[in-house]
Structures are given as structure tokens and as C-alpha cells.
């Protein structure tokens, strides 16, 4: 593998927003000490209603049922890869890098869990599979997240800031010639949950959703949020949460949302539109707080599902313009598949025995080469 440039790998990513499985077949090449990438084929495979519900409930399963889901989901991933390979006529033997689906993320307790058995994927595909990218860093005292910044550093060095608006908003940036990164706040995980819990029928006059459910799973283009009003007391409560005062590497899990964010939303007793409007303002406030006050004509690359939320992007553009930061929204493919592509890249770095996790980002005692390897074939 180490002598075969360009290096090819398949990245698998399932985010906490549960909008489906992202699959990206990618090529990577190093020229004159600079890495380059190409996304050759990519698609999102929507989850069935049954699988989405199982993944959504995973946090609350007993240990036996959770292990069953871990195994079942691994076989599901393997079968999805086989269909993707067949559809795009990929070679028989490929490298697969799977992030898995996060259920628990508790670095303070020394553990994290991304389900989707790498052994099951390898057994289904007969390919080499790399998974469990976060555990080594946590064992070394780090947050185990975020992992994408090594990709930002090596593939997107032209941007001072790289913002991902996924289930959680996270940012990576150059500071004193060192890459730092952290989770800013929950983003689509909260916005989507508010909409899903409201059970808005699909025939309601909101932009069409491509979700396979009878109800809207998200707020298309931020239209509902745009119609709402800011609830100042709720906004103050959200911005006052202890997490936002923490310095240094920090990361979030969905458990934190259930303990800290959702009780505040429930107790506010205000219409859905006002909840969404207030939470969009909260995201905007926290993103602005995450960057230095004077950025001097710098660029911020924005990817993830939130980049497709026109209302949220307008709020961010307005506030960041005051910081002299230009928001750059790339092509749709990169918006949707940047994380899956970077996990493919992490897999390549793992196979090449190169650092794929940065201590400056996670707070661990040293850089590391994370990921467990399963050999599916001979």
C-alpha cells in the first residue's frame, strides 16, 4: 500500500443528526510535501425508519441489546459498502475507514463508543477495515475528538478556520503555528430533534424534505426558525452553560445535550419557531465567541449539513463580517462529504503508520496513530 500513489480509501461516516450513512470513495496524493485529495464517488444512504429508531435509542439500551446493535450495524455497513462497490465498479480489495456511530462519548470517564463492528464490516466485504479511531487518544488522556483537524491541517491549509456544522458545531484553526480545535456547541442535533419531536406532517407547507418519514426531520433552509422570535431569557440560559467557559481542548456528546440543553428548551414553554430561532442565535453567538476578535481578512471554510441552512448561514455571515472573516461555502459534494473524506484520509495515514491524531487538538499527552485494523481477506 505504501508504494501505490495515489492512495485510495473508502470513508464511512454516520453523524449524530442521523440523516443517513455517508460513503466517500477518495484518492490522496502527496506532492512536494503537500497532500491533495479527490472525492471520486460519494453518496448518502438514508437509514430505514427502523434502523434510525434503533440508532436513536442506542444511548438507552441495556448492554446486551447495545452489543447486538453494534454487531447488526456493522453487518449493515458491510452490506452498504458491497452495494456501493458494485454500483461504482470498484476493485475487489479496498481500504475502508469507518467512523461508526457515536453512542457514548465520555473522555472524562476515559471512554468513548462508536458502534458498527469493524470485524463485521471486514467479514462482509473481505476488505481491510480501520475503525475505533478515538479510543487510543482518550487512553492517552485526550478528548478523542475532534479528529477531522488533521485533515484540515494537511488538506485545507489555505483556510485559517474550518467550521463544521454537523450534529455538533466544531472548529479547527491555526493559532501560533499550531493547529487547535474543539467542539463549539450542539448544532443540527438540537435543531433536528426539536423539529422531529414536533411531528410536523410532511404535507405541511414547509420545503420538501427527502427524509423517508411521515414527518419533517429538520427545518428546511431554516424557514421555521426565520419565522420565530428570540427568547432572551432562554438565550441567556443557553449561553451561560458552564461548558462554554472551559478553555483548552473540549468535546461534547449527546448525553451532555440531554442533561443540559433539552431541559432548558422544555422549560421555556414557547412555540417551535421561537425555540429554533433562539437556538440558531445561540449557535451564532458561540461560533463568534470561538474565534479571536480581530481576524484581519481571513477565510473560514464551512461544511456539514448546517451549511445548507440558509437562515443560519445568513446569521453567521452577518456576525462574522464584523470580525473581518469571510465565510466560504464550497461545492455541495464537499459540504456533504468532507468528514467522510477525511476519515478515509485518516485510514490512509493509519496504514502508512503516520500521525492521524493531534495532541494540540485533543489535549492528549502526545500525537498518536489511532484506529484498530481488521483484515477481512487473506
Amino acid at each position: 500500500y505504501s508504494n501505490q500513489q495515489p492512495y485510495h480509501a473508502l470513508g464511512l461516516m454516520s453523524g449524530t443528526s442521523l440523516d443517513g450513512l455517508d460513503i466517500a470513495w477518495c484518492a490522496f496524493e502527496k506532492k512536494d510535501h503537500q497532500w491533495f485529495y479527490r472525492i471520486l464517488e460519494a453518496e448518502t444512504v438514508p437509514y430505514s425508519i427502523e434502523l434510525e429508531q434503533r440508532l436513536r435509542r442506542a444511548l438507552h439500551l441495556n448492554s446486551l441489546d447495545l452489543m447486538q446493535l453494534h454487531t447488526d450495524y456493522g453487518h449493515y455497513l458491510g452490506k452498504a459498502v458491497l452495494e456501493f462497490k458494485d454500483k461504482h465498479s470498484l476493485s475487489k480489495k479496498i481500504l475502508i475507514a469507518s467512523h461508526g456511530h457515536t453512542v457514548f462519548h465520555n473522555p472524562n470517564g476515559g471512554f468513548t463508543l462508536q458502534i458498527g463492528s469493524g470485524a463485521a464490516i471486514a467479514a462482509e466485504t473481505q476488505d481491510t477495515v480501520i475503525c475505533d479511531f478515538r479510543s487510543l487518544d482518550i487512553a492517552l488522556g485526550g478528548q478523542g475528538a475532534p479528529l477531522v483537524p488533521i485533515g484540515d491541517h494537511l488538506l485545507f491549509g489555505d483556510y485559517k478556520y474550518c467550521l463544521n456544522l454537523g450534529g455538533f458545531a466544531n472548529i479547527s484553526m491555526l493559532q501560533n503555528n499550531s493547529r487547535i480545535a474543539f467542539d463549539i456547541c450542539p448544532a443540527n442535533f438540537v435543531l433536528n430533534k426539536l423539529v422531529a419531536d414536533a411531528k410536523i406532517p410532511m404535507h405541511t407547507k414547509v420545503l420538501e424534505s427527502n427524509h423517508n418519514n411521515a414527518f419533517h426531520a429538520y427545518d428546511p433552509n431554516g424557514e421555521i426558525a426565520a419565522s420565530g422570535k428570540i427568547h432572551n431569557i432562554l438565550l441567556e440560559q443557553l449561553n451561560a452553560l458552564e461548558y462554554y467557559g472551559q478553555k483548552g481542548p473540549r468535546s461534547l456528546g449527546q448525553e451532555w445535550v440531554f442533561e443540559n440543553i433539552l431541559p432548558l428548551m422544555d422549560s421555556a414553554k414557547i412555540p417551535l419557531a421561537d425555540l429554533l430561532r433562539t437556538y440558531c442565535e445561540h449557535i451564532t453567538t458561540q461560533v463568534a465567541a470561538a474565534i479571536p476578535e480581530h481576524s484581519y481578512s481571513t477565510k473560514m471554510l464551512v461544511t456539514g449539513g448546517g451549511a445548507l441552512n440558509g437562515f443560519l448561514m445568513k446569521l453567521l455571515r452577518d456576525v462574522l463580517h464584523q470580525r473581518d472573516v469571510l465565510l466560504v461555502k464550497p461545492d455541495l459534494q464537499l459540504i456533504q462529504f468532507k468528514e467522510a473524506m477525511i476519515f478515509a484520509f485518516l485510514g490512509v495515514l493509519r496504514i502508512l503508520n503516520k500521525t492521524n491524531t493531534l495532541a494540540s487538538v485533543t489535549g492528549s499527552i502526545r500525537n498518536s496513530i489511532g484506529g484498530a485494523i481488521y483484515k477481512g481477506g487473506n
Side-chain angles (χ1 to χ4, degrees), residues 123-265:
E124 289 283 353
T125 62
Q126 301 299 300
D127 290 319
T128 296
V129 175
I130 303 173
C131 61
D132 192 22
F133 283 93
R134 301 183 185 274
S135 290
L136 176 59
D137 183 78
I138 285 184
L140 290 168
Q143 291 286 306
L147 296 184
V148 166
I150 185 79
D152 292 339
H153 192 67
L154 296 176
L155 300 173
F156 298 98
D158 291 345
Y159 297 92
K160 178 157 187 184
Y161 306 108
C162 290
L163 175 69
N164 176 61
L165 294 173
F168 294 81
N170 50 62
I171 193 167
S172 92
M173 66 184 88
L174 275 177
Q175 194 170 84
N176 300 324
N177 294 320
S178 178
R179 177 68 52 173
I180 66 165
F182 51 89
D183 284 345
I184 298 174
C185 65
N188 296 337
F189 183 80
V190 172
L191 295 174
N192 293 357
K193 181 165 176 46
L194 291 172
V195 174
D197 288 351
K199 296 196 179 312
I200 304 168
M202 288 293 288
H203 56 73
T204 330
K205 187 129 178 104
V206 181
L207 283 178
E208 275 189 35
S209 159
N210 62 1
H211 200 264
N212 54 5
N213 207 329
F215 303 103
H216 282 276
Y218 61 93
D219 179 9
N221 211 34
E223 283 194 356
I224 305 174
S227 70
K229 300 188 295 290
I230 296 173
H231 189 283
N232 288 312
I233 293 175
L234 174 60
L235 182 60
E236 288 173 11
Q237 291 173 326
L238 290 167
N239 288 332
L241 288 169
E242 184 181 350
Y243 175 82
Y244 301 124
Q246 293 178 18
K247 302 298 181 187
R250 62 189 199 196
S251 63
L252 289 165
Q254 57 181 326
E255 312 98 295
W256 187 87
V257 178
F258 284 106
E259 290 171 11
N260 295 277
I261 298 282
L262 297 183
L264 293 177
M265 309 301 265

Side-chain angles (χ1 to χ4, degrees), residues 349-367:
L349 294 175
R350 173 67 181 90
I351 287 293
L352 297 177
N353 211 33
K354 303 288 186 186
T355 294
N356 64 4
T357 310
L358 296 173
S360 65
V361 165
T362 67
S364 64
I365 59 174
R366 61 172 171 81
N367 291 344

Side-chain angles (χ1 to χ4, degrees), residues 75-92:
H75 285 287
Y76 165 85
L77 293 175
K79 289 182 171 68
V81 168
L82 288 175
E83 290 182 14
F84 185 89
K85 287 173 67 174
D86 184 58
K87 179 177 178 180
H88 298 290
S89 304
L90 302 190
S91 59
K92 288 187 178 180

